[in-house]
Amino acid sequence: DSQLIELPPADSAKSHEPIQILIDGGPPNGKALAELGKILPVHDTYLDLIIMTHPQLDHFGGLIEVIKKYDVGVFVSTGRSATIGAYGELEQVLSERGVRRITVGEGDVIRYGESFLSVLSPNARALSSRELNDTGVVLMLAAGNVRALYTADIGADIESRVVRDYDLAAHVLKVGHHGSKSSSSKRFLSEVEPQVAVIGVGAKNNYGHPTQEALGRLAERGARILRTDQNGTVKIV
């Protein structure tokens, strides 16, 4: 589960290079680092932002090697930490590389030019949840005429809250929690109405992701479903 956003340079920007935002880095298997190497030019060793949605290994583990290789402008997270050893390694490499860190939550907005990444969750209550999936950063990208919704590993409870509080209509949906049965509820999908739904999921996983329940609900909405276990890295222009 890892997404790279590339935004065209703003009219006022001195550089003509795109802005690059990496959301999560998958597990610590080298996959995210390898895919970045295929996507980005050899001379491009800078990521403007890295956003860690929540401190679970299958989302932050791959970021450790990425941060070792790439210069990073800012590391963004909710401030929620984890006790597993790999998280300590992440903290160490961020410190060694001198990466600036900021904390975000519901209501914050990251703006570049006319593009916006709005943070829809977590609020204070979700951030204090014992369930780490509830603490995930939910982001709505509005860039030009395109809206894309990134949902980390949130389940139906958090989905119902953001449905109540926000306009979730989006062309692209990063499907929540790898297509688990407890995510992508009917009400949520009826509000998003995605044209394209992308599922980040390992070819071999012990959870049966993506589930037939989630796939069925996405199909009912008429979304084109793309899966990294079947399609590899998905590029949307």
Side-chain angles (χ1 to χ4, degrees):
D1 203 318
S2 180
Q3 301 86 46
L4 177 70
I5 299 170
E6 286 195 321
L7 300 175
D11 293 338
S12 59
K14 295 179 181 179
S15 172
H16 297 292
E17 297 294 328
I19 294 297
Q20 293 159 341
I21 302 168
L22 182 67
I23 303 175
D24 288 337
N29 58 9
K31 184 73 171 177
L33 183 62
E35 292 303 307
L36 282 174
K38 296 174 185 178
I39 296 168
L40 303 180
V42 175
H43 68 273
D44 188 351
T45 59
Y46 181 79
L47 296 170
D48 296 272
L49 295 178
I50 288 181
I51 301 173
M52 181 185 72
T53 60
H54 62 301
Q56 286 186 323
L57 188 61
D58 61 325
H59 287 257
F60 79 78
L63 293 177
I64 297 170
E65 292 301 318
V66 170
I67 296 167
K68 287 180 179 179
K69 180 171 180 179
Y70 287 85
D71 293 322
V72 179
V74 179
F75 182 84
V76 180
S77 73
T78 64
R80 184 73 180 261
S81 61
T83 56
I84 60 174
Y87 190 78
E89 187 178 356
L90 173 65
E91 293 274 6
Q92 182 178 350
V93 72
L94 285 168
S95 178
E96 290 175 348
R97 297 282 285 169
V99 179
R100 182 187 173 200
R101 304 177 63 171
I102 64 170
T103 300
V104 298
E106 181 185 10
D108 289 324
V109 178
I110 299 168
R111 176 180 177 179
Y112 176 71
E114 297 304 312
S115 299
F116 300 85
L117 264 175
S118 300
V119 181
L120 311 186
S121 192
N123 59 14
R125 181 176 180 181
L127 188 59
S128 64
S129 172
R130 296 179 63 181
E131 172 54 66
L132 276 177
N133 289 338
D134 291 346
T135 72
V137 176
V138 178
L139 297 163
M140 177 69 81
L141 170 67
N145 295 322
V146 176
R147 284 164 60 94
L149 182 60
Y150 300 86
T151 55
D153 274 356
I154 64 167
D157 288 346
I158 303 299
E159 288 179 352
S160 65
R161 185 182 63 77
V162 294
V163 161
R164 183 190 68 217
D165 295 342
Y166 295 100
D167 173 13
L168 299 181
H171 304 90
V172 180
L173 172 66
K174 198 293 295 187
V175 174
H177 202 192
H178 320 282
S180 77
K181 65 180 180 181
S182 60
S183 300
S184 303
S185 63
K186 284 190 175 183
R187 184 186 176 200
F188 177 77
L189 293 178
S190 70
E191 295 295 323
V192 181
E193 286 285 12
Q195 296 175 22
V196 178
V198 183
I199 304 174
V201 62
K204 295 180 180 179
N205 66 83
N206 298 324
Y207 304 97
H209 294 162
T211 62
Q212 289 304 311
E213 294 94 328
L215 291 171
R217 292 191 291 267
L218 287 163
E220 285 178 7
R221 304 311 306 181
R224 180 183 178 188
I225 301 171
L226 298 170
R227 302 166 42 171
T228 58
D229 61 334
Q230 296 181 350
N231 303 104
T233 295
V234 175
K235 182 177 181 180
I236 300 175
V237 181

